[in-house]
Amino acid sequence: MRYATVLLRWDDVELLPLNSAIAAEPDLRVEAVHYINPVRGGRYAELSRFRGDLARARELFDESPQVNQFDVPEDTDGIVYLEYDSAPVLDELMGLFADHAVVLSWPIRFTEDGYGVEITLLGTESVLGDVFGAFPDAIELTLRRTGDYSEGVSDPVASLTQRQREVLSVAVRNGYYETPRKSTHRELAEKLDITPGTVSQHLQRIEVRLIDYLMDF
């Protein structure tokens, strides 16, 4: 089985409802789409992770005639449920994946400006070649990486060791990466039962791995 990670960009179309509106918000962005499920009647249900002003996100969803239902819980780290009317380009894209029997690896990650996503597609060499040749003209496709598939190839966190994932999880939960920081190496060390120096080493290795991935993106 082969994989291909591609960057999809669009400038003059709306891939998803509120795409342009969210991209224009200085304090709100879609970080990743964890799943999109087609719903009968030309609609989609989506689970996404948002970062920033979630109160503003609720306002945008509530005001949009395209959004039929939504749920923005307070305590799920930005995970949002949306159910919305279909959009022509999204219909064409999802139909393309179904027609060519390609498997989409979730989540898909948005670019910083909100007008692009990096996705990983799985299938045979011929399936991937066919789907690349049939992409909608409104979407610009750039191949980033390709090769034989292995678990975690599209998820940089999956490539971390179990201990590194544990350290990263504790750091994120305790606000280490917030501005200003809400915890120190010493405080994280107490929660992990290791020394502050070991925390520092773990975080440095984690950050190098993730930054390498983002720089490639």
Side-chain angles (χ1 to χ4, degrees):
M1 179 170 52
R2 301 283 289 177
Y3 83 91
T5 299
V6 297
L7 176 65
L8 306 183
R9 290 197 60 85
W10 58 92
D11 294 316
D12 301 323
V13 296
E14 290 279 282
L15 181 64
L16 300 170
L18 296 175
N19 195 163
S20 297
I22 293 170
E25 292 288 330
D27 299 319
L28 181 66
R29 65 181 292 257
V30 185
E31 184 176 89
V33 177
H34 287 260
Y35 199 70
I36 297 177
N37 186 51
V39 180
R40 287 180 181 175
R43 295 169 292 134
Y44 292 96
E46 174 185 315
L47 196 67
S48 294
R49 184 183 299 277
F50 281 66
R51 292 297 187 195
D53 189 351
L54 295 183
R56 179 57 180 154
R58 294 185 187 93
E59 292 176 357
L60 291 173
F61 301 151
D62 192 47
E63 294 167 359
S64 173
Q66 296 171 289
V67 176
N68 303 309
Q69 300 182 69
F70 67 90
D71 188 14
V72 187
E74 297 286 353
D75 57 353
T76 55
D77 195 26
I79 294 293
V80 169
Y81 166 84
L82 292 169
E83 187 259 295
Y84 51 79
D85 297 335
S86 65
V89 178
L90 179 59
D91 287 345
E92 190 174 356
L93 196 58
M94 296 299 285
L96 175 66
F97 295 150
D99 290 343
H100 291 273
V102 71
V103 174
L104 181 59
S105 178
W106 302 95
I108 63 175
R109 302 186 186 281
F110 270 74
T111 57
E112 190 70 28
D113 65 1
Y115 287 98
V117 292
E118 186 181 75
I119 67 173
T120 296
L121 304 174
L122 310 176
T124 64
E125 193 80 46
S126 61
V127 163
L128 294 176
D130 289 344
V131 77
F132 290 160
F135 261 81
D137 292 337
I139 296 180
E140 176 187 338
L141 182 151
T142 303
L143 179 64
R144 306 305 299 269
R145 296 177 295 277
T146 187
D148 293 328
Y149 176 77
S150 61
E151 186 178 3
V153 72
S154 64
D155 183 2
V157 175
S159 69
L160 301 177
T161 67
Q162 181 176 351
R163 186 55 164 165
Q164 286 173 335
R165 291 197 295 271
E166 180 184 1
V167 171
L168 179 60
S169 177
V170 170
V172 171
R173 288 201 312 268
N174 287 276
Y176 179 79
Y177 289 105
E178 295 183 19
T179 304
R181 280 184 174 158
K182 295 183 178 179
S183 60
T184 65
H185 286 178
R186 184 174 298 280
E187 290 167 337
L188 296 179
E190 291 176 357
K191 295 180 180 297
L192 292 160
D193 195 26
I194 55 180
T195 68
T198 302
V199 169
S200 177
Q201 291 176 2
H202 277 306
L203 292 178
Q204 287 176 13
R205 290 168 182 163
I206 291 167
E207 289 160 6
V208 166
R209 174 68 187 91
L210 299 183
I211 287 172
D212 282 347
Y213 174 86
L214 292 172
M215 288 300 290
D216 189 42
F217 184 29

